[in-house]
Structures are given as structure tokens and as C-alpha cells.
Amino acid sequence: MSRLVEFGYGAAFDLLPRLPRGAVWPAFAAAAAYGVRGYRRGKPGKGTATLARNLRRVVGDQMPEEQFTDLLHRALRSYARYFLEAFRLPGRSKEQILAGFRLERGELLGQHVAAGVGCVVALPHAGNWDAAGAWVAANGWPITTVAERLKPESVYLRFLAFRRSLGMEILPLTGGDRPTFDVLEERVKGGAVVPLLADRDLTPRGVDVEFFGGRTRMPAGPALLALRTGAPLYVASMWFDASAAAGHLIGPVPMPGPDEGSLDARVRIVTQRVADRFAEGIARHPEDWHMLQRFWLDEPAVSTVG
């Protein structure tokens, strides 16, 4: 299986930047259609079943099933679009990268960089976060972020090279030469933009938050980094529109003072504030939230195969 995964990602990295979008999008759209057909027949794949359950939690039981199935289809197409457009980024010019992503209030990042002030941006797994990072780099702003170590290692190394080729400094989540958080602190204090994916962390180190009426766990990193450095913390709402990936910068998130509790208590307060802002953005664009993994702690893992 690992060899098959390596081959698939290798082909995507090597071929997709060189092929016209119109030549490859039909295959991605067909994969989305196949996924929703399985759902309609009551035999969805594990990822589709998990995405459906997560989306149902977002939109509620009141949405009619026919309307919900249409939403699921659009969500699968959005997920396919993310992969296609992300893998094509290395083949695009600086001008194309800047035109392919739109960030409302994005000028705030440039103002911080010009003033030598670093900032932290919490991102959900929504829209196209790789396009967002490439857009920051294409603007000439220093950007540092973190990547989870994937298996097999060869796939992780390809993702590392892919994101670095777009102008981003990528730190490993684990196994680096220095503690990753220490390096992030240095980068923020040095005036860099530090975007961090922050809507899912099911490890014991995460912070429990309330989210769409349930309990989940999100990473403490963005809140802790902002509190430790004094840097502004923003939350990005992310989605796709017809012509480009898009986002909206929310914040800065209000920071509690030392009189509001210990550092751990303040991290919990800020992480919940981040979660609340994620929820607002996801509720507006549920089809662009790419959460195909178990998310809520009060729900069992999906066991469906297909």
C-alpha cells in the first residue's frame, strides 16, 4: 500500500503542474461524483461517510436529505478542487499565484511585516490553505509554518519540497533539529507571518473546546504562540468561489490579561475564541470544510468500508 501511495503522490507532484486544468479536472470531478453515488446507495467510503457526519453536525438535522446530499457532493468537489489546485501551484507564476487567491483584509499582514511585527494566523482545513501560504510568499512576506510528518517518509519529503518551492519555510511538527515551538517564537519575534492549521488535534496535548454543540479538541499552538510573544492572532475563514480560492482575515483575537488566570487558562480561553470564529466561517461555507477525519470526541470512529 505504501508503494501505491508513493506512486500516486509522485505522479501528482510530477504531472499536475504541467497539464492543463481542463484536461485533468474531469477525473477529479468524477471521483467526487463516485463518492456521492456511494453515499446515495448507502455504501459510502470511510472518508465520505465521515465527511457526511461532520457536515450534518454543522448544518443540523433540519436540512432535508436531498439538499444535504447536494451539499455533500459540492463538498467532495471542493475537496477534489483543493488537491488539484494545490498540486498545480509549483507550475504557476508569481502573478498567477497572486491572482489565484484573494484574502479580504490581507493588507493587515503586509502592514505588520512592514512594521517588523510578526503575526500568527489560525487556519481551518478549508478552501485552499496551500494557496494562502503561496500567496503570502508571493507578496514577498516572510512565512514560516509547520508540517506533520506523513508516512511513508518519501511522501512527507515531497510535500516538504513542494511547499518550500513556493517560498515557505516549513518546520517539522516532530523530529526537528530544535524544538519547533522555539523556532516559531523566533520567527514571530523576527517579523514573520506564521499560519498554523488549527481546527483539529485529537492528541492529549490539545485543548477541549465547544464546537457546533459538541466537544472537540484543537491545538494550543496559535494561542500559546500569541500569548508568549505578544503577537496579534488572526483567524482565517477560507472557501472557494468560482474564480479563485478566497479567505477573510478575522481579528486580532482579544487576548486575556494575566489577571484572568494562569497561562494554561488563558490558552484555553483564546483557543475557544479561535474555535468560535472557525465555526462562523464554516457555517457560511460548509461545503469548503475538508474534514474527512473523526472530529467530535463524543462520536465513535466510522467503521464503514467501501
Side-chain angles (χ1 to χ4, degrees):
M1 178 60 75
S2 63
R3 289 295 181 92
L4 185 60
V5 171
E6 288 181 72
F7 175 80
Y9 277 109
F13 281 121
D14 293 337
L15 296 177
L16 290 180
R18 298 187 237 163
L19 295 173
R21 187 185 189 280
V24 291
W25 170 246
F28 283 76
Y34 177 81
V36 83
R37 282 199 301 272
Y39 176 81
R40 285 194 174 103
R41 294 195 305 265
K43 296 181 178 180
K46 184 176 180 180
T48 300
T50 305
L51 176 62
R53 189 166 66 182
N54 290 338
L55 287 176
R56 181 56 86 175
R57 192 75 174 254
V58 170
V59 301
D61 294 335
Q62 67 275 15
M63 179 178 283
E65 183 60 27
E66 182 177 349
Q67 185 179 348
F68 178 78
T69 302
D70 177 68
L71 169 64
L72 179 62
H73 189 192
R74 287 185 284 117
L76 290 169
R77 286 176 63 91
S78 175
Y79 189 50
R81 179 177 173 180
Y82 159 71
F83 272 106
L84 174 60
E85 295 188 2
F87 280 119
R88 286 172 53 78
L89 283 169
R92 298 175 71 77
S93 67
K94 174 182 173 180
E95 292 72 24
Q96 288 173 321
I97 287 173
L98 290 172
F101 183 77
R102 185 184 77 255
L103 181 62
E104 298 167 358
R105 302 183 76 227
E107 69 277 2
L108 294 176
L109 301 181
Q111 292 168 11
H112 286 305
V113 170
V117 177
C119 54
V120 184
V121 184
L123 305 171
H125 287 83
N128 192 334
W129 54 93
D130 282 306
W135 181 86
V136 170
N139 273 290
W141 305 332
I143 174 172
T144 301
T145 188
V146 176
E148 181 181 0
R149 282 191 177 274
L150 302 173
K151 293 185 183 298
E153 181 77 2
S154 60
V155 172
Y156 166 72
L157 293 175
R158 291 298 298 265
F159 269 106
L160 207 61
F162 156 64
R163 289 177 174 133
R164 286 173 174 168
S165 75
L166 298 173
M168 296 182 260
E169 180 186 23
I170 306 297
L171 305 176
L173 182 61
T174 57
D177 296 333
R178 297 174 54 204
T180 298
F181 193 85
D182 291 352
V183 181
L184 290 176
E185 278 194 279
E186 286 183 6
R187 298 298 185 266
V188 170
K189 291 175 181 177
V193 178
V194 176
L196 298 170
L197 287 165
D199 57 343
R200 181 179 183 267
D201 183 357
L202 298 184
T203 71
R205 299 185 302 274
V207 176
D208 283 15
V209 295
E210 294 296 317
F211 200 68
F212 287 103
R215 185 173 62 91
T216 190
R217 197 171 289 142
M218 294 186 179
L224 182 59
L225 194 57
L227 287 164
R228 288 272 293 268
T229 63
L233 169 61
Y234 293 92
V235 175
S237 174
M238 309 274 284
W239 67 93
F240 283 115
D241 63 23
S243 60
H248 177 79
L249 210 58
I250 305 162
V253 176
M255 293 288 122
D259 58 337
E260 295 185 61
S262 66
L263 179 59
D264 283 348
R266 285 178 282 145
V267 165
R268 289 194 294 272
I269 292 170
V270 174
T271 304
Q272 182 63 62
R273 289 174 180 171
V274 169
D276 292 342
R277 286 154 178 80
F278 279 157
E280 292 169 3
I282 291 166
R284 284 193 294 270
H285 303 281
E287 68 276 11
D288 293 316
W289 187 40
H290 311 313
M291 189 52 64
L292 280 75
Q293 298 82 28
R294 176 175 175 261
F295 188 77
W296 277 274
L297 299 175
D298 55 358
E299 291 182 345
V302 171
S303 59
T304 302
V305 293

